[in-house]
Amino acid sequence: MKDPRPQPIYRRDYRPTPFLIDEVDLAFDLRAEQTTVTAELKVRRIGDPTAPLVLDGERLQLQSVAIDGEPLAEDAYTVTDATLTIPNVPDTFTLRTEVVIFPQDNTELSGLYRSGQTYCTQCEAEGFRRMTYFPDRPDVMSRYRTRIEADAAAYPVLLSNGNRVDAGTTDAGRHWVRWEDPFPKPCYLFALVAADLRCHAGTFTTRSGREVKLEIWVEPHNIDACEHALSSLRKSMAWDEQRYGREYDLDLYMIVAVSDFNMAAMENKGLNIFNDKYVLARPQTATDEDYENIEGVIAHEYFHNWTGNRITCRDWFQLTLKEGLTVFRDEQFTADMTSPAVKRITDVRGLRTAQFAEDAGPNRHPIRPDSYIEMNNFYTVTVYNKGAEVIRMIHTLLGEEGFRKGMDLYFERHDGQAVTCDDFVAAMADGAGVDLTQFSRWYAQAGTPTLVAEAEHDRDAGTYTLTLRQQPPSDTPDAPPLHMPVAVGLVGDDGRDVALTPDQAGPKVTVRGTTAICELTEAEQRFVFTGVTGDVVPSLLRDFSAPVRLHAPHTPDDLAFLMGRDGDAFCRWDAAQIFARQILLEAVAKADAGGPLDPRFVEAWGRILADERLDGSLKALMLTLPDERVLGQAMDVVDPDGLHHARERAVTELADANATTLDATWDALAPKGPYANDRDAIASRRLRNAVLRYRCAVSDDGRRSAALAQARTQLDHADNMTDAQAAFVRLVEAGGEHRDAATESFYATWRQDPLVLDKWFSVQAVSGQPDTLARVRALCEHADFTLDNPNRARALLGVFSVRNQVGFHDRSGGGYALLADKILELDRRNPQVAARLVGAFNHWRRFDEARGAAMREQLHRLVGTEGLSRDVYELATKALG
Ligand code: 7ML
Ligand code: ZN
């Protein structure tokens, strides 16, 4: 790990494993000073008869090795800091090793570690090797039996995968439990928990009538905050039966919530371990967004049981096989549980802000990467979210029925196997009876393609010709064309879609309702629709049918029209985004001229605000101007100050132009009763808080003061965290007295609740106030700030460096120095979390000379640091390019 020049691993170097491990018998003896792990492996040679047995192992103190009961002499094996090698082994044998490990000193939170008083594990991707010697690769699938022994009073709860088959007590107040998992699994799905936890239990009856016990395990004081997680789990189980015909396969499903966790959650077989942020929910402490995220993450981990666990990855280069597919499935689920339009818009917004940026930066990679230095760095938005877009395109090309046939065949062919992305694509193609050969290039091609659309309408002939041209990313100009579905509608004068009749002689088009799925397979193709006599505006890339940057031929009038009329909610929202982007970029270019916004935009925006038929959640999304990060992507040289000020001025201008409607909307949306977590109540809160944002930015002092006073009342009296946090944000952004008073009172109320305290840090870190950098620096010294808790570190530093463009890119360069300081500090304890923060420096080339040089200097400082982790090394060197 401290190798100064770590070497990459290449996908092309994959070799099948020479040995399988059919059965694994583990014994964990947990003691305060140390933990002893004994492993008995039933080993079977399947490859090269002369190959030595090479096992992975890190930070293990080897006590003994024996083969078939015979202890090995010290010269019969070699141990390095990463491996145990035994040269002469039989074809089948039992290997027994005993090692000592120190979970209490494990600050990386990988392998077996302690979070507070809880022992827990995180093995994906390569953490299992930190507990015992093993071929730590996902294509080795084994049946596990696990014995856990610990002090009975301190650790009354002992959990592992599968079924609890036996238990007992030993001397001196200790007890033990034995677990058995009947399903063969790769070692990255192993889990163990030893803790003093309480259980919120329930049941689920599968459609074949089996009763499954559901258990949510949390610290005693959180036992009141589990019902939402439990009901989310039930919904996920029912949904996977209905939508995919997939039932759960064990009699017990456990979820354990821990406070110190590097990621969101982990799908260990039968024993998911979660970051408690994605489990605990009470109206007073969790926002509507938190509730939705919890439901989505619970679903994601549950869906992995089929897409990930029953069928897993052959090697880590195939990560998107399980992650892209499972994200797609959790997106479908959330769409069904909430609103498909709102869910799609939210996801596309996230894709454009984070994934498009990654795909244009120094760490761009295909969804199936070709090499890595540290696998943990490849749990990326590209592998996950672009991966999900690739699955979505398959869904669009195959249709719901064809997609289901493909999935059924995939499960039938590969259940119990470790497979590749190619295996998946082949099953989908065979199951649906289509050719996906060209399509599979999406797995190999990095970068975001550009799609240029041009339209030509011959009214007399009634032919409407759409020319679609795809351009590969600029760094790979010779990349062959991709196969992509481009969903198109034509919106008539009256706001209704016209019926579409594609010209039979043209390229493949499938019409679904009034939307045509045009299959673009060449660099340029013409799609002709006949019988189009009246005026139409094209609605392009409906539902964001392909992950591309679209250049559409729309005029400002077209955009205003689509904003108000497009039947495709995504395109309707996107028209607002594109229009807003155009006027904001113009405003930045005009710098301090500060002229008024395009009145057509202001008018269209006002019509959205006043549209009585529009759902509140959608309206809130449409009224929100594009993020500064997305706007920055469209500039040759990113100007964070100019963007921030232009956006703030636009907010004020929109607020001024609509002041009375905003006030009236706010009044009309006052809560009708106590907190409810249903769709309408959520939509009302979203819209009301979006409106509050504008009301607090209005120029008129009287109106603004009144709005801020209402925000203060909302903070003090809200019966839910959504409203309390929204009000807190407004008061912090207002600065001065408002900020000081709100910051103090929010802290006083919530200082004891870590997850709410994270919000307190984040809201201050994201503030556009001019002194935010100084305040973030001070918050790093706050008694409640610690780098040891990943959530806390991300709440302050992750949020500041990624979501606060104007603050992080402060001209002084102080934001860069602060982040690099903290990355180095954190890297000594938790490289995975430290590495996640490096991405904020990725785009140094896109800023002005001074900022670019200052960022580059910090990257050099990182790379030049002795003892730097592989994790930070890889991303910092790539960022320098
Ligand atoms: C994505 C996860 C990891 C890393 C969870 C860790 C996981 C790996 C794990 C979407 C929804 C919920 C969690 C995650 C996520 C980054 C993101 N196998 O299940 O993928
Ligand atoms: Zn996952």
Side-chain angles (χ1 to χ4, degrees), residues 291-309:
Y291 272 83
E292 192 174 308
N293 288 340
I294 289 167
E295 188 173 272
V297 176
I298 297 241
H300 178 95
E301 305 311 331
Y302 176 71
F303 298 155
H304 267 318
N305 192 53
W306 277 96
T307 50
N309 301 4

Side-chain angles (χ1 to χ4, degrees), residues 124 263-267 297 300-301 304 322-323 327 330 379 384:
E124 188 176 6
M263 300 153 325
M266 182 61 211
E267 69 267 24
V297 176
H300 178 95
E301 305 311 331
H304 267 318
K322 74 178 177 84
E323 297 302 350
V327 170
D330 82 52
Y379 288 72
Y384 277 69

Side-chain angles (χ1 to χ4, degrees), residues 556-557 559-565 572-573 575-581 583-584 597-612 614 618-626 647-663 665-666 686-698:
D557 287 327
L559 291 170
F561 173 78
L562 291 172
M563 265 174 85
R565 306 303 287 267
R572 198 174 169 188
W573 168 80
Q577 296 293 295
I578 294 166
F579 204 164
R581 185 178 70 206
I583 58 147
L584 289 170
L597 300 174
D598 186 330
R600 285 169 297 191
F601 179 76
V602 179
E603 202 185 301
W605 192 93
R607 275 201 304 272
I608 296 296
L609 176 65
D611 186 339
E612 304 264 328
L614 198 55
L618 265 180
K619 196 189 276 193
L621 285 168
M622 290 198 65
L623 296 178
T624 303
L625 298 176
R647 193 172 182 276
E648 290 305 305
R649 269 208 312 270
V651 168
T652 297
E653 191 177 331
L654 292 167
D656 289 349
N658 294 279
T660 36
T661 320
L662 287 164
D663 287 350
T665 310
W666 160 270
R686 277 200 187 125
L687 180 54
R688 194 163 192 251
N689 288 320
V691 162
L692 182 62
R693 192 245 186 284
Y694 285 91
R695 294 181 66 232
C696 290
V698 76

Side-chain angles (χ1 to χ4, degrees), residues 234 247 262:
R234 284 206 193 87
E247 263 188 41
N262 282 349

Side-chain angles (χ1 to χ4, degrees), residues 414-733:
H414 297 299
D415 189 12
Q417 298 177 4
V419 304
T420 64
C421 299
D422 291 336
D423 294 325
F424 172 78
V425 174
M428 296 306 286
D430 294 350
V434 298
D435 185 352
L436 291 176
T437 315
Q438 184 188 359
F439 183 84
S440 64
R441 286 178 190 155
W442 279 102
Y443 284 85
Q445 172 72 48
T448 308
T450 299
L451 179 66
V452 182
E454 274 160 26
E456 216 184 286
H457 191 185
D458 182 338
R459 277 173 199 74
D460 300 334
T463 53
Y464 193 90
T465 307
L466 200 60
T467 304
L468 298 178
R469 203 164 62 241
Q470 58 170 311
Q471 294 163 353
S474 54
D475 61 315
T476 50
D478 301 326
L482 297 162
H483 180 182
M484 60 177 83
V486 181
V488 174
L490 298 178
V491 189
D493 272 342
D494 56 357
R496 294 200 192 173
D497 283 1
V498 304
L500 296 175
T501 314
D503 179 3
Q504 293 297 316
K508 186 171 174 197
V509 177
T510 310
V511 177
R512 294 192 188 121
T514 54
T515 297
I517 313 294
C518 303
E519 294 195 24
L520 183 63
T521 54
E522 294 169 22
E524 179 174 324
Q525 276 165 303
R526 288 150 57 89
F527 295 85
V528 178
F529 299 95
T530 56
V532 185
T533 46
D535 279 345
V536 294
V537 177
S539 163
L540 301 171
L541 208 65
R542 284 188 154 180
D543 212 33
F544 201 61
S545 62
V548 297
R549 287 182 196 274
L550 173 68
H551 293 275
H554 294 133
T555 63
D557 287 327
D558 290 341
L559 291 170
F561 173 78
L562 291 172
M563 265 174 85
R565 306 303 287 267
D566 199 325
D568 184 84
F570 164 77
C571 286
R572 198 174 169 188
W573 168 80
D574 205 27
Q577 296 293 295
I578 294 166
F579 204 164
R581 185 178 70 206
Q582 286 172 1
I583 58 147
L584 289 170
L585 290 174
E586 266 166 41
V588 182
K590 278 190 284 181
D592 296 316
L597 300 174
D598 186 330
R600 285 169 297 191
F601 179 76
V602 179
E603 202 185 301
W605 192 93
R607 275 201 304 272
I608 296 296
L609 176 65
D611 186 339
E612 304 264 328
R613 290 161 312 174
L614 198 55
D615 163 74
S617 290
L618 265 180
K619 196 189 276 193
L621 285 168
M622 290 198 65
L623 296 178
T624 303
L625 298 176
D627 190 282
E628 287 163 31
R629 285 168 286 174
V630 173
L631 295 170
Q633 289 173 21
M635 295 187 82
D636 294 328
V637 177
V638 186
D639 174 3
D641 301 314
L643 281 171
H644 183 71
H645 295 124
R647 193 172 182 276
E648 290 305 305
R649 269 208 312 270
V651 168
T652 297
E653 191 177 331
L654 292 167
D656 289 349
N658 294 279
T660 36
T661 320
L662 287 164
D663 287 350
T665 310
W666 160 270
D667 290 335
L669 290 169
K672 308 266 179 308
Y675 170 85
N677 189 13
D678 58 55
R679 227 183 111 145
D680 288 347
I682 292 169
S684 296
R685 281 192 288 274
R686 277 200 187 125
L687 180 54
R688 194 163 192 251
N689 288 320
V691 162
L692 182 62
R693 192 245 186 284
Y694 285 91
R695 294 181 66 232
C696 290
V698 76
S699 320
D700 182 281
D701 289 334
R703 278 187 195 275
R704 194 174 65 250
S705 299
L708 285 165
Q710 285 169 327
R712 180 67 219 202
T713 310
Q714 180 167 317
L715 173 62
D716 292 341
H717 299 293
D719 62 356
N720 66 86
M721 184 47 68
T722 305
D723 287 339
Q725 180 183 260
F728 181 45
V729 170
R730 300 284 44 102
L731 294 160
V732 168
E733 294 297 346

